[in-house]
Amino acid sequence: MAAVAKKNNIMILKKDQIEQNNKKSLSKHKKSFEFASAEIDSPDKVIKKLTDFQVAIPSWALGTGGTRFGRFPGGGEPRSLEEKIEDIGLLHALNGSSGAISLHIPWDIPKDANAIKKLAAQHGLRFDAMNSNTFQDQPGQKLSYKFGSMQHVDKAVRKQAVDHNIEVIKYGKELGSKSLSVWLSDGSCFPGQLNFRKAFQNTLESLQQVYKALPDDWKIFVEYKAFEPNFYSTTVGDWGQSLLYTSKLGNKAFTLVDLGHHLANANIEQIVALLLMEEKLGGFHFNDSKFSDDDLTVGSIKPYQLFLIFNELVEGMDARKMNHDHDLAWMIDASHNVKDPLEDLLQSVEAIMIAYAQSLIIDRKKLVEAQQNNDVVTAQEILQQAYRTDVRPIVAEARLRAGAALNPLAVYRNEKVRENLIKERGEKSVATGL
Ligand code: RM4
Ligand code: MN
Ligand code: MN
């Protein structure tokens, strides 16, 4: 009964609903688009790239996040993987750029892979990287990860972590995913707790076993993080350590950069440039931060840094003739304590598209010349010219051409999406995840 009712009540934004909303702002949009496109070379080429660019939404970002002090859920949270797919389907209908989902196991185990795959396809979604979890103990789990997983002094714990990752690959294969993201919380809280060399060796050996189980057409991403939950040392603490692991593992292994995982003021744009040069950048987790791994809305604190990172990403990918959309795994890794998660994700995707668009309009020829001539002032002018261009109408036009909303947030509110989700799922529904 409940399943049938749910099926009928499922929240979908129909094409004509979006078109109706677009009509309201179309003439205003046309004017600003005309103005914006006159400012840049080959706007159609830029728009095509924007339309192709898809950013995966993680299955754990759809519920309200919290801090260690509390959690204030907003209602209508997805109660199952099916409902999470429904949420991402709504985002994708609104912005045309959220056409992929990234699953965390065991938070979102697909019980019937075929049905889940079909449902995702109905919403135009594919399965991006699979994420394993050896940073928490699950109910009924035999051995604890309290003192690490792949680094653990006890071989049996390491094996449990390896087996879990192999199981995640199995789920991913069933869904058509092609990559595994490994983030380890392994490290130590106090000096003397760990032998750094042994912790590294154990982790490497564990990763090597997972690597052996990786299908030929898959990639494994090793995500680094300088702190938290361990604060004295982290076994995959920075891009150097990640690069050591991925270099030793082989050519299916890549480093994954999460914006919030660096020590303060790190030059992330330089890190991505060099990883790309070494053909070792595999994936990217977007968020923003003021303090540490705050997981705030992308572009909400340091939009210029985001632009500078995109500048290096585009320059580095073009140097290697990579496909911007397909050759790296793009994902939002954010959490929302005080906002509606879906609205927050719409804002994050918008910020990413703006930074990407701005990096596409940089006058690269002139920049190379300026660099060659040590003309520091001109080099800065060129970057800031792109950054200070209002590309929002270009990004909106890309959405319009993809059949999505000119103004996703406005449509979300006009169509009372959250109110409908609360009706469907209740005030007190809680999503799985952190
Ligand atoms: C970590 C890291 C991982 C994410 C978990 C939930 O800090 O960013 O990518 O899977 O959080
Ligand atoms: Mn991450
Ligand atoms: Mn993180």
Side-chain angles (χ1 to χ4, degrees), residues 183 223-225 228 258-261 285 287 293-295 333:
W183 172 64
E223 180 175 1
Y224 60 88
K225 181 170 177 175
E228 196 200 36
D258 181 313
L259 289 180
H261 288 192
H285 285 180
N287 47 50
D293 191 23
D294 310 354
D295 283 338
D333 194 0

Side-chain angles (χ1 to χ4, degrees), residues 80-109:
S80 60
L81 178 52
E82 285 81 356
E83 290 182 351
K84 290 182 179 186
I85 291 173
E86 179 189 349
D87 274 12
I88 301 176
L90 289 166
L91 292 176
H92 192 45
L94 287 166
N95 65 21
S97 315
S98 306
I101 171 169
S102 193
L103 294 192
H104 221 299
I105 305 294
W107 294 338
D108 290 294
I109 295 183

Side-chain angles (χ1 to χ4, degrees), residues 171-237:
Y171 286 126
K173 279 206 283 199
E174 292 170 2
L175 295 170
S177 166
K178 292 279 178 231
S179 49
L180 170 72
S181 278
V182 180
W183 172 64
L184 301 173
S185 68
D186 293 36
S188 64
C189 286
F190 296 98
Q193 186 185 330
L194 264 192
N195 176 304
F196 297 139
R197 190 167 32 80
K198 284 185 188 161
F200 182 94
Q201 290 299 345
N202 283 340
T203 303
L204 177 61
E205 275 166 32
S206 305
L207 285 170
Q208 278 165 336
Q209 286 172 41
V210 175
Y211 190 83
K212 259 195 239 149
L214 203 69
D216 284 344
D217 59 344
W218 271 54
K219 296 176 181 173
I220 180 173
F221 304 137
V222 180
E223 180 175 1
Y224 60 88
K225 181 170 177 175
F227 48 80
E228 196 200 36
N230 280 293
F231 287 104
Y232 173 62
S233 75
T234 305
T235 302
V236 195

